[in-house]
Amino acid sequence: MPGADIVSLRSFGPQVMTSRRIRAAVRGWHGAKRVLGGKTKTLFVFLEPGEPYSDLLADALPGFAKHYGLEWQALAVGPPEKSAAPEPEMLAAYAERDAAGLRAAYGITASDQPIAPSGDPDRNARWRKKHGHYGSGMIWFEGEWYWGIDRLHHLERRLGASEDALIFPPVAEPTHATGGSFDMFFSLRSPYSYLAMMRAPALARLWTADLTLKPILPMVMRSLPVPSEKRFYIVRDCKREAERLGIPFGKIADPVGAGVERGLAILHRAIPDGKGVDFAQSFFTGVWAEGLDAASDKGLRTMAGRAGLDWTYAQDAIVDESWHESVETNRQEMFALGLWGVPSFRVGEHSAFGQDRLWQVGRWLEEG
């Protein structure tokens, strides 16, 4: 069938892009090139002066580089293009409080002698884009990107550090009952939402907390374009995170369009019936790890069936258009929190963005 062929090809590209063997080969090539050229291991660090994540990374950089015997070069860049950061005011406000939380979590103090990045920001931004990124507070090391403090643990492992010797390990979530409740805003097209959905329900049970699912439309289906360098980085970064978390990832069938709409329609009915988590996890696994086509009856039937939903139930849900109003209400709620991306979380008056902020959700639940 032509449709099956298209999905197969769509799945093959990401599998190549996220292949461990190819990643290892790229690392090996860069390492050999460095050795043959008589050069030292050097981090290229892209900093936006005054930007909270850049400032945080700059404060951590000298000690980190010294510990691992690395050279580094700080390069000045301006704010990301709007296509990569469509809500710059929200991003700036959120970055301020989020970076403060990270600073406290890792015990990073502000330097008395802050790093002054060098070079022409426009030229540096062109180099960054050519090599596959769009944001500030980023490290490039021999073919791979590492986002700020949050991804230093991946770089540390690459440099040979063991798990118990990491300087910046992922912040651990609480492991005891907290009670309370939290909301999760997510998109069926977001691979980061997939990673969060495969963990948040289990953590909610561990915390004896109530979890409310709040799906929204993907950015691209809200007429917000996503640049290629952002898409490719996200897929590769999600693969690293998925490996760390033990979650399958890489055989992808992008559900954008009809796949997302059909999934949202079923999810809209499944949530009040107590099957929202089961269907969301089944859908996410299908499109991000198994290459199932959510726009096809065959793919969606598989996703619904293993979530305990029969095909008649799914078909009835698909023709119900009431999900549109619900997901738009969820989007408006999320924006009212000063958040624009997914996954995002709300705990009472607190809110956080990112699959790697579940630890923060747990701490807020602890505080009551």
Side-chain angles (χ1 to χ4, degrees):
M1 294 175 61
D5 291 340
I6 291 170
V7 172
S8 172
L9 288 171
R10 234 171 32 216
S11 300
F12 180 70
Q15 287 181 77
V16 173
M17 188 192 309
T18 60
S19 165
R20 287 189 182 190
R21 289 186 178 181
I22 291 178
R23 185 198 306 156
V26 170
R27 289 178 175 182
W29 182 84
H30 278 279
K33 182 180 178 182
R34 167 176 39 82
V35 171
L36 291 173
K39 298 180 179 179
T40 58
K41 294 180 180 179
T42 302
L43 307 180
F44 292 89
V45 188
F46 293 80
L47 302 176
E48 178 186 338
E51 191 271 327
Y53 294 122
S54 293
D55 291 348
L56 179 63
L57 179 58
D59 288 335
L61 179 62
F64 180 88
K66 182 178 180 181
H67 181 85
Y68 286 104
L70 305 169
E71 299 293 325
W72 53 270
Q73 184 176 350
L75 303 170
V77 290
E81 296 177 3
K82 194 164 184 179
S83 60
E87 300 292 341
E89 293 82 10
M90 286 187 182
L91 172 58
Y94 178 72
E96 196 74 45
R97 58 187 174 95
D98 186 51
L102 285 172
R103 190 178 288 277
Y106 285 110
I108 301 171
T109 57
S111 174
D112 294 331
Q113 298 179 318
I115 292 173
S118 63
D120 175 63
D122 292 335
R123 182 178 179 181
N124 292 339
R126 288 194 296 271
W127 190 97
R128 178 185 60 187
K129 184 172 184 175
K130 179 181 177 181
H131 288 77
H133 216 278
Y134 54 93
S136 48
M138 296 295 308
I139 293 174
W140 186 89
F141 174 67
E142 297 188 354
E144 269 181 67
W145 289 97
Y146 302 87
W147 189 83
I149 298 297
D150 285 281
R151 296 297 183 266
L152 284 179
H153 57 87
H154 286 302
L155 177 54
E156 292 188 75
R157 293 187 191 93
R158 181 177 174 183
L159 294 169
S162 60
E163 290 298 313
D164 58 359
L166 297 176
I167 304 174
F168 293 99
V171 183
E173 296 91 5
T175 57
H176 56 272
T178 62
S181 63
F182 65 101
D183 299 333
M184 177 177 167
F185 300 87
F186 64 96
S187 157
L188 292 177
R189 196 190 181 227
S190 159
Y192 289 126
S193 290
Y194 163 49
L195 299 183
M197 185 62 72
M198 302 310 288
R199 303 185 65 232
L203 287 170
R205 290 191 293 271
L206 176 65
W207 297 333
T208 63
D210 294 326
L211 168 61
T212 300
L213 302 184
K214 291 186 173 287
I216 69 168
L217 273 177
M219 282 186 176
V220 72
M221 293 175 67
R222 290 184 272 129
S223 300
L224 295 172
V226 180
S228 59
E229 61 269 20
K230 184 174 183 178
R231 294 197 306 271
F232 294 151
Y233 168 75
I234 286 173
V235 168
R236 292 187 178 105
D237 183 54
C238 280
K239 176 62 173 180
R240 289 186 306 200
E241 284 289 273
E243 289 173 355
R244 177 178 70 85
L245 297 168
I247 298 172
F249 183 87
K251 191 175 182 182
I252 300 169
D254 188 349
V256 67
V260 167
E261 292 176 344
R262 286 153 60 92
L264 286 172
I266 296 174
L267 192 57
H268 179 62
R269 181 167 293 192
I271 289 173
D273 289 343
K275 286 289 187 177
V277 167
D278 292 337
F279 178 71
Q281 290 183 332
S282 177
F283 185 99
F284 272 126
T285 301
V287 300
W288 293 110
E290 299 170 337
L292 296 181
D293 182 7
S296 73
D297 286 351
K298 180 180 179 182
L300 199 59
R301 188 168 191 161
T302 298
M303 298 172 190
R306 63 189 181 192
L309 306 175
D310 64 43
W311 187 231
T312 300
Y313 178 101
Q315 288 177 307
D316 289 344
I318 290 170
V319 298
D320 181 356
E321 297 286 325
S322 60
W323 63 268
H324 290 274
E325 182 178 355
S326 175
V327 299
E328 173 57 16
T329 297
N330 292 339
R331 185 197 67 80
Q332 292 177 10
E333 283 185 28
M334 185 179 73
F335 270 56
L337 299 172
L339 300 174
W340 67 100
V342 289
S344 286
F345 305 93
R346 174 171 57 193
V347 183
E349 298 300 314
H350 303 288
S351 58
F353 165 47
Q355 60 88 19
D356 41 19
R357 292 298 180 270
L358 282 165
W359 63 270
Q360 186 71 81
V361 171
R363 291 190 180 184
W364 285 328
L365 289 171
E366 283 181 318
E367 295 169 4

